[in-house]
DNA sequence: CTGCAGAAC
DNA sequence: GTTCTGCAG
């Protein structure tokens, strides 16, 4: 074994001395929040079995509020910078999420089959490629929403790619998305209210909010009135295309439609400015 | 080529 | 599970 240099030894001693728990036992009280909720918890979701319509699920890779009776999340929130991205291949292991409370219906990987709707990721597969475990976590069905194929593969896919391109240029992003309403139009046409024998509601609209920051500490105080915020609200309809820019709205409009309180960790004055503005920046 | 998938076996 | 196909960019 190679001997440690004196400075390295001192660092180890300091690290041990400042750690309030022994390093070889699990933390008995995991933090109640995560980096993914740095800018807030839009619905005050909690991991309480008595709150089936606003149930908090925290994963290392993202955080979400799950609606048991709709079978889809109310919102999903995640942090994106290039430390989340790597070479892990797409896992494609769509599956039920057994982290839900006992007795709750679990949407299955096959639940959308033949519905005319995609198993649309909220937190995208391609945003979580650092490790196989990270990528696999995005395929839990609690991270899915039945989405019209063109909405998923064109509208959202283009915006997701744009977000990753911003990460590639040294940005750090906080992203939230979700859906609301009932009744979408998939590849089979018409309007579909639910699938999977009523266990999964097909939403009418899908929304996404992107906060773009320079790389830095994970701190809501870094959001200023000059921070770029992109918000879109698009129909869950297979007639739409790749031009996500045309669906830009204010964050206020999404809050009005959903009842959520977005960016609640940001100071009220900054929120007021950012949430009333509609992005007019580049789309590619 | 990658990323979004669905369908067949 | 694996393999194949389709679409957009």
């Amino acid at each position: 074994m190679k001997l440690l240099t004196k400075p390295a030894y001192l660092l180890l001693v300091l690290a041990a001395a400042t750690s309030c728990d022994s390093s070889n036992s699990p933390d008995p009280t995991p933090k109640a929040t995560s980096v993914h909720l740095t800018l807030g918890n839009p619905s005050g979701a909690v991991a309480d079995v008595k709150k089936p319509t606003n149930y908090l699920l925290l994963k290392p890779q993202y955080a979400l509020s799950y609606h048991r009776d709709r079978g889809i999340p109310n919102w999903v929130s995640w942090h994106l910078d290039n430390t989340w991205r790597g070479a892990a291949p797409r896992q494609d292991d769509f599956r039920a999420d057994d982290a839900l409370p006992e007795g709750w219906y679990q949407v299955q990987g096959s639940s959308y089959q033949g519905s005319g709707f995609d198993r649309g990721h909220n937190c995208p597969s391609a945003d979580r490629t650092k490790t196989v475990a990270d990528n696999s976590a995005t395929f839990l069905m609690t991270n899915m929403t039945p989405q019209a194929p063109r909405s998923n593969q064109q509208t959202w896919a283009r915006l997701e790619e744009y977000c990753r391109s911003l990460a590639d240029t040294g940005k750090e992003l906080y992203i939230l998305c979700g859906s609301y309403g009932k009744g979408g139009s998939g590849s089979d046409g018409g309007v579909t209210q639910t699938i999977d024998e009523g266990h999964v509601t097909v939403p009418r609209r899908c929304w996404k909010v992107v906060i773009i920051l320079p790389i830095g500490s994970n701190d809501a105080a870094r959001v200023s009135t000059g921070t770029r915020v992109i918000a879109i609200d698009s129909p869950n309809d297979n007639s739409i295309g790749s031009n996500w820019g045309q669906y830009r709205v204010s964050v206020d409009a999404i809050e009005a439609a959903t009842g959520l309180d977005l960016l609640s960790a940001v100071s009220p004055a900054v929120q007021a400015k950012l949430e009333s503005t509609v992005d007019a920046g580049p789309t590619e």
Side-chain angles (χ1 to χ4, degrees):
Chain A
M1 176 194 272
K2 188 179 178 187
L3 290 174
L4 292 173
T5 63
K6 188 171 182 184
Y9 173 73
L10 284 171
L11 283 173
L12 283 177
V13 170
L14 285 169
T18 53
S19 172
C20 57
D21 202 349
S22 65
S23 57
N24 56 4
S25 67
D27 184 344
T29 53
K31 285 187 176 180
T33 187
S34 80
V35 62
H36 308 300
L37 298 178
T38 297
L39 300 188
N41 176 332
S43 59
V46 289
D48 180 347
V49 67
K50 293 184 176 61
K51 301 285 186 181
T53 65
N54 187 25
Y55 186 82
L56 182 66
L57 279 175
L58 287 180
K59 317 281 187 188
Q61 298 83 9
Y62 52 89
L64 66 80
S65 163
Y66 187 72
H67 195 304
R68 180 195 62 185
D69 301 330
R70 285 166 67 85
I72 54 177
N74 298 305
W75 53 261
V76 181
S77 183
W78 67 101
H79 176 236
L80 175 64
D81 64 19
N82 271 354
T83 68
W84 285 102
R85 298 176 58 214
R90 183 182 169 98
Q91 295 301 300
D92 269 321
D93 51 349
F94 293 95
R95 64 200 186 282
D97 189 345
D98 62 12
L100 292 172
E102 188 178 348
W104 288 20
Y105 178 75
Q106 292 183 2
V107 177
Q108 302 297 301
S110 57
S111 289
Y112 293 19
Q113 188 185 40
S115 69
F117 291 87
D118 283 1
R119 297 170 292 192
H121 283 71
N122 283 266
C123 178
S125 164
D127 281 10
R128 292 291 181 262
T129 53
K130 191 68 173 180
T131 67
V132 167
D134 281 355
N135 186 259
S136 180
T138 71
F139 287 87
L140 292 167
M141 292 305 291
T142 48
N143 185 42
M144 300 297 162
T145 298
Q147 209 174 351
R150 287 168 61 97
S151 167
N152 180 39
Q153 299 173 27
Q154 296 192 34
T155 322
W156 275 35
R158 292 290 83 72
L159 176 54
E160 291 162 1
E161 286 180 355
Y162 179 60
C163 289
R164 288 188 290 274
S165 78
L166 294 174
D168 283 335
T169 63
K171 300 294 188 186
E172 171 180 357
L173 299 85
Y174 289 94
I175 307 174
L176 300 104
C177 70
S179 60
Y180 64 94
K182 186 175 183 180
S185 184
S187 58
D188 297 339
V191 176
T192 302
Q193 304 289 335
T194 66
I195 61 177
D196 195 19
E197 298 178 332
H199 289 302
V200 176
T201 294
V202 177
R204 184 171 59 81
R205 307 280 302 188
C206 299
W207 59 269
K208 189 179 288 259
V209 172
V210 183
I211 297 88
I212 303 156
L213 296 167
I215 289 283
S217 59
N218 300 319
D219 180 357
R222 297 171 54 232
V223 181
S224 74
T225 55
T227 298
R228 185 179 181 196
V229 176
I230 299 171
I232 74 166
D233 182 341
S234 58
N236 192 15
D237 189 306
N238 213 32
S239 68
I240 69 175
S242 60
N243 179 4
W244 60 264
Q246 69 180 289
Y247 299 111
R248 284 181 283 194
V249 297
S250 68
V251 173
D252 281 339
I254 293 173
E255 290 184 333
T258 62
L260 298 174
D261 181 10
L262 301 167
L263 314 185
S264 60
V266 174
S267 77
V270 174
Q271 277 191 63
K273 165 68 164 57
L274 296 185
E275 296 187 0
S276 61
T277 305
V278 178
D279 177 63
T283 59
E284 58 183 49

